[in-house]
Amino acid sequence: MEKTETVVHGPGLMGGISGLAKNLFGLVVSRVELAALEMSEVRNHVIELLAIFAGAVLAVWFALAYGTATIVMLAWDSWGWKILLVMFLVFLVITIVLVMKGMAMLKQGKLAFPETMNELRHDRDALL
C-alpha cells in the first residue's frame, strides 16, 4: 500500500491580507474607543476649568465693586483707605488661588489624552 501525505498550506496571500485588514480594523476601533473615553474625561476637566475661571473673573469683579463702593461710601474717612486695601487684598488672594488651581490642572495634563497617545506610541514602535 502506498502512503499519501496531505500537505496543508497557509491561507494564502488573500487570506493573509484579509487577516491583516481585520486586525488593523480592530486596532483602529480600540483606539477610537479609548480616545472617546478620554474625551469624556477631558470634557469634565474643561468644565471644571471653566468654572474655576468663572469664579476668578467673578472675584475680580467683586474686588472692583467693593473697592469702588468703599471709596464712594467712606469717602476717605479715617479707615477709608485701609478698608479699600483690605477688600482689595482679600479678593486678590481669592483670584490668585483660583488661577493657581487652574494652572495646576493644566500642568497636570488633565486636558491631554495620555493613554491614547501611549497606545499610539506603542503601535508606532511595533510597526517600525
Side-chain angles (χ1 to χ4, degrees):
M1 277 217 234
E2 257 181 66
K3 284 185 172 180
T4 40
E5 290 186 27
T6 326
V7 179
V8 178
H9 294 286
L13 179 63
M14 292 308 288
I17 291 174
S18 172
L20 179 64
K22 287 178 185 177
N23 289 337
L24 186 61
F25 180 72
L27 181 70
V28 168
V29 167
S30 69
R31 296 309 178 250
V32 167
E33 288 173 349
L34 181 61
L37 179 66
E38 285 189 326
M39 182 64 91
S40 68
E41 287 182 23
V42 168
R43 184 192 72 224
N44 292 338
H45 292 302
V46 166
I47 290 170
E48 184 181 357
L49 183 63
L50 288 174
I52 290 170
F53 179 74
V57 169
L58 188 63
V60 168
W61 280 107
F62 271 113
L64 293 172
Y66 274 110
T68 304
T70 302
I71 292 172
V72 171
M73 285 181 61
L74 298 177
W76 298 105
D77 285 340
S78 63
W79 280 85
W81 69 272
K82 293 175 187 174
I83 292 174
L84 175 64
L85 182 62
V86 167
M87 294 305 296
F88 170 75
L89 291 176
V90 166
F91 283 104
L92 182 65
V93 167
I94 291 170
T95 302
I96 289 171
V97 167
L98 290 173
V99 168
M100 289 174 61
K101 169 82 172 150
M103 295 299 287
M105 283 180 63
L106 291 175
K107 286 182 182 176
Q108 289 174 356
K110 290 189 174 184
L111 301 180
F113 296 97
E115 292 300 319
T116 300
M117 297 308 289
N118 190 27
E119 289 299 320
L120 289 175
R121 269 189 231 101
H122 288 308
D123 295 344
R124 181 197 62 202
D125 292 343
L127 291 174
L128 297 178

